[in-house]
Amino acid sequence: MAGLALGLMAGAQARAEWPDRTIDMIVPFPAGSSPDLLARIVAEPLSKALGQPIIVQNKPGAGGNIGTRLATEAKPDGYTLLFTINGPLVTAPTLYRKTLGYDPFNDLAPVTLVATSPNVLVVPSDLGVKTMADFVRLAKARPGALNYGSVGPGSASQLAMEMFKSQAGLDIAHIPYPGFPQVISAIIAGDIQSSFMVPAIAMPQARNGKATILAVTSLKRADTLPDIPTMAEQGYPGFEAISWDAILVPAGTPSMIIERLNSELARIISSDKVRAQMAVQYFTPAPSSPDELTTRMRDEKARWDTVIEKLGLSLD
């Protein structure tokens, strides 16, 4: 009983003392990328709620794997948060079975899902295509001549295109970039001719006439993009590739800290202000429990493992 009492006292003391200094939020993508923008939307009110500064640390590279690995190596003391997308969590472990350097299910502890968004298929406006059928005809007429961009090998943007290539029978080369801001710049410059990406990066260029949006990757038309047809509507039934963002911490972080973070973030993400800010980025807020995030990770890993196996993809 004395030992139990001491343990409870120590836990209460840790709860009272955390946080007492600056917290780092690692974003494994460049400044200006979609996860970076969403992280900053969340970081400001979370900092106020916790009473300590939260510094967003951009650590891009390898489709998010570098920054994600850095988070797994941090002390599990509540002073390192990871704000990342689905790729490093659900597809990278299968694509990099030997060389990834971390296991998201054992080396990270989920806190909450943050938001979801469909992707869009983007092409340069001067490519001269207006529909998926136009693009497929062009690609088939010029096998090997077109390029597509992604945010790195094994990223969701690459897998979506490889799935599309397989279904449509296309030969399009892959060029990886650190983040979507670089991808959209390459599309505008004519260095690449297509990419699946989040709408927040693509839509401003579509509005100013420099890019064309051919499709969304949700099974149904997106509420935020009701005028853009789905891949399924244009001849690719069942095609779905949803982007989502989540917050995790290094495995071993005390449960009381995870519970506090989850509680504060659920309130923040559900607030009218944050909902409005995320809507501008074409994201839908989706706070969850840690267990719900784990279930999503496992379910999506199983789904994408099937796609990766069917396509015979490996990045080791």
Side-chain angles (χ1 to χ4, degrees), residues 111-124:
V111 175
T112 183
L113 184 67
V114 175
T116 65
S117 173
N119 289 288
V120 292
L121 179 58
V122 189
V123 300

Side-chain angles (χ1 to χ4, degrees), residues 85-314:
I85 63 174
N86 35 328
L89 301 176
V90 301
T91 58
T94 302
L95 290 164
Y96 297 90
R97 294 182 186 274
K98 300 177 182 178
T99 60
L100 186 60
Y102 66 86
D103 180 343
F105 294 94
N106 291 322
D107 298 336
L108 293 168
V111 175
T112 183
L113 184 67
V114 175
T116 65
S117 173
N119 289 288
V120 292
L121 179 58
V122 189
V123 300
S125 291
D126 59 10
L127 192 62
V129 302
K130 300 297 183 183
T131 66
M132 289 290 300
D134 292 340
F135 180 74
V136 169
R137 279 194 294 270
L138 176 65
K140 287 188 173 180
R142 301 171 59 190
L146 303 186
N147 301 319
Y148 79 89
S150 82
V151 292
S155 63
S157 54
Q158 187 209 12
L159 288 178
M161 183 61 78
E162 291 299 326
M163 186 163 62
F164 170 47
K165 285 171 55 180
S166 176
Q167 292 182 11
L170 304 181
D171 180 7
I172 307 175
H174 176 218
I175 300 179
Y177 293 87
F180 283 130
Q182 291 79 11
V183 175
I184 196 67
S185 294
I187 284 180
I188 294 170
D191 296 331
I192 58 176
Q193 289 72 46
S194 59
S195 177
F196 283 103
M197 65 175 63
V198 290
I201 303 297
M203 292 307 296
Q205 302 305 326
R207 285 194 293 267
N208 67 24
K210 294 182 179 180
T212 298
I213 310 299
L214 300 182
V216 293
T217 61
S218 48
L219 293 177
K220 297 180 179 180
R221 292 201 183 197
D223 291 341
T224 54
L225 300 164
D227 297 329
I228 301 177
T230 66
M231 295 285 291
E233 286 179 72
Q234 300 183 79
Y236 303 92
F239 192 104
E240 182 182 30
I242 302 298
S243 290
W244 48 266
D245 295 74
I247 293 177
L248 304 93
V249 291
T253 298
S255 60
M256 65 186 68
I257 292 177
I258 293 174
E259 290 166 6
R260 170 84 185 279
L261 286 169
N262 180 270
S263 175
E264 298 289 3
L265 286 164
R267 177 184 56 79
I268 289 167
I269 296 167
S270 300
S271 69
D272 290 341
K273 180 179 180 180
V274 169
R275 281 183 171 274
Q277 290 175 308
M278 287 188 178
V280 173
Q281 303 298 325
Y282 302 91
F283 271 85
T284 301
S288 75
S289 70
D291 286 344
E292 288 169 338
L293 176 53
T294 298
T295 298
R296 175 179 281 263
M297 288 169 59
R298 293 196 183 282
D299 288 349
E300 289 224 358
K301 184 178 186 303
R303 185 170 76 86
W304 282 109
D305 278 358
T306 301
V307 174
I308 292 168
E309 181 179 352
K310 181 178 179 181
L311 297 176
L313 297 176
S314 175

Side-chain angles (χ1 to χ4, degrees), residues 3-57:
L4 177 61
L6 288 172
L8 291 173
M9 290 174 60
Q13 183 179 13
R15 185 190 300 270
E17 291 178 352
W18 181 88
D20 62 1
R21 56 186 171 86
T22 297
I23 297 170
D24 289 330
M25 179 179 284
I26 294 176
V27 177
F29 294 95
S33 63
S34 179
D36 173 72
L37 295 173
L38 292 182
R40 294 177 190 277
I41 288 173
V42 170
E44 181 181 358
L46 182 59
S47 173
K48 291 180 180 179
L50 298 178
Q52 294 293 337
I54 295 179
I55 307 300
V56 174
Q57 303 275 4

